[in-house]
Amino acid sequence: MFADKESFKQAYLTKISETEGIILEESSPWDKYKTLVILLKEKMGSYRALTRNCPARSKEVYYFSMEFLIGKLLHYYLVNMGIEEIVREGLQDLGINLDELLRQEADPGLGNGGLGRLAACFLDSMAFWGISGHGNGIRFKYGLFEQKIRNGFQTEVADNWLKNGYPWETPKLDKSVVVKFKGNVRVENAEGKWMFYHEDFEPVLAVPYDVPIMSYDNSVNINNLRLWSAEPLSNELDLDSFNRGDFEQAVSLKSEVEAISYILYPDDSSRSGRELRLKQEYFFVAAGLGSIIRSYKKRNRALADFPRWVAVHINDTHPVLCIPELMRILIDEEGLGWDQAWNITVNSMSFTNHTIMPEAMEKWPIDLFRGLLPRIYMIVEEIDRRFKERTARIYPGDGDLVRRTQIIKDGQISMANLAVIGSSSVNGVAALHTEILKNEVFKDYYRIFGYKFNNKTNGVNHRRFLLAANSDLSGLITEAIGPGWKKNAEELHKLLSVRDDRSFLEKLARVKYLNKCRLAERVRETQGIVLDPLSLFDVQVKRIHAYKRQLLNLLKIMELYNRLQRDPGAVEGSHTFIFAGKAAPGYHYAKTVIKLINTLAAKINKDAGAKDKLKVVFLENFNVTLGELIYPAADVSEQISTASKEASGTGNMKFMLNGAVTIGTLDGANVEIQEAVGDENMFIFGLRAREVLDYIRRGGYKSLDQYYTSPDLKLCVDQLVNGFFETAGEEFRVIFDSLLLYNDEFFVLKDFDSYLETYQRLQACYADKEQWQKMSLVNIAEAGIFSSDRTIQEYAEQIWKIPRVC
Ligand SMILES: *Cc1c(COP(=O)(O)O)cnc(C)c1O
């Protein structure tokens, strides 16, 4: 990339005058940041031109995802290129502080949480393995809202991340695609062949913006994240309206079109059912497939061979329209017959399910769907008709099976059903989740298409969340076991050899302490709250959701506080409870939980009697950048969802990589974490998934029983509404009611005792420093299997059928 510091400086100075037309002294921090990005991007572009992927892996993977939470790129890419030091020192010679430039970068909030972050980790690992694997998504003008806390409440501020421009992206106007909405379909029979003509449609221009994806030490393999922006087909005004003086009409079409890529829906795991959302889904699907087919045909390959050269991956149901859209292209535009088109389509498509929560299962009303996508609707109907016919033929007499598995019923189109029927692979994201898919959610399909179902336990990019985010720990690990773990996370196992090395454990503790100081410093700067880095940092950071049970954590803290009131000696050690996470703006319960966290924090933090024992903080605006600061600073990772509800979780893996010890339920990938580290290195409590599912199916749980049999718990629950929070009034009634009036859907009260007992056990372990350090070390050592490199290797071999050669 750069031979040395001097050649970097030279290139940088040239670039700044070239791109900004100014000399260094006149440039702003933004100019300086942008120049560095453009310099690196050009270098990457020239590598891309020289070499393309591993030849044996020439099958292209297109990862379709509504969300990509890529985080900031500059620092991460400097680490991957191995030039952070050269650049830092070179800039310093020029009087520039690299850290100031790094702060200029926007963290693109193009996702809600785990699902979008997973997509970003996968892009990295595909690049790492030399797979030609590209992301396909939407360039939302506004990402997920920025969260501000005002008087303890969440308020939302628009995330105008593009306001200064985004220098990593390159618009490719010549690669634009026209996407057609609404209109009519004219059907003609030409010499026995049915022809379909989509007419009077509303065209939208999809313009691609490409972001280069590079991984560690692999600069010759640059992949692409293609994000689509919606623009009017003609950038000219509606001149007739304009000339009539109707200015509003003249610009209205433009804004209606641009609305498609205007903003990301801020709902995590709940469907919105709005027309705009369906427009977004079809928009990036049609644009992405349009450009894939165009480049495929340029290579003069036969369409029949499409699945051999191209894999299309559908991340959750948002891009499921890939299935009927590819059918449409093959039939209407390429003239193939149904059966051939269907073979090609199914063999190209694979689908990942991310949730079993019924409210998150995407369904569209027929009228809305048909009005917006008339030709696609016809195709979905035909897929459904043929599938029903086939099912009835294979399972004669089982009319119920046909009814349960059809795509269109009760006036709605089920996107999950379409996904399973139209893909060759259906995977869950953790072993437990996949079992629940096979035995519950998709059990009928499992009977019909057993061969399609498989598990791919999620992973995280260990280079971002350990190598780059926790450089002190990375340095320590490399000192102990060499650098091999960066390219092969399984090598972290070697750390087990220093498990009994007192001096290594001391160093490990020292690094954790420094990371806690770093986080404490940030909290002091931003919130004026002083944290004690010697206290236990107990962290729960993730979206705020009833099933994730931030409330259970809060009741625990209230109980500890109550104990302290009764007996100042009752709480051992000193605890800092750290929360962060966004609530969907329309999710009243979740927003009330945020208010409760802040209200409890205010009460405890101002109580002199609790000062050395308990402290609670809520950090504003959780995103990838904040995560990179928090995960390395955690002693304890809270993964306490209601068993069966969290499909996998990936936060749990990021914490583990950074040496936090998990307290959690046997849910999602926690089950596999337990298998990896053993019961002695993790704290498991609460109902098992089977028990939860049985209660849900058969009933029998009464939250009032829990409430009346445990006086300590009853007090905590009562405190939500009895004036304990002096200024709260009826504010927390919804939470109180969720527990008692609505019978505690997420088994918070049921798991309370078990959680507290387990927390006390954890606290005793924490007091034994050496034992704790060993537990921490084992967690890091066993985290290798949770690298997304492992996950992607499995996807490549088993789903996309790409051999492992390079
Ligand atoms: C990893 C991550 C998540 C997912 O966290 P879970 O604990 O698995 O829910 C959400 N948001 C961000 C910003 C993340 O980095």
Side-chain angles (χ1 to χ4, degrees), residues 63-76:
Y63 196 85
F64 279 64
S65 179
M66 184 70 111
E67 305 188 3
F68 288 94
L69 214 45
I70 57 177
K72 294 190 183 193
L73 298 182
L74 179 53
H75 176 254
Y76 182 58

Side-chain angles (χ1 to χ4, degrees), residues 300-312:
N300 288 318
R301 285 176 176 152
L303 283 170
D305 292 336
F306 189 75
R308 238 179 71 197
W309 296 107
V310 177
V312 173

Side-chain angles (χ1 to χ4, degrees), residues 696-709:
I696 292 172
R697 186 171 313 124
R698 295 204 265 273
Y701 172 56
K702 289 200 196 67
S703 65
L704 278 171
D705 292 349
Q706 305 297 315
Y707 174 77
Y708 283 119
T709 52

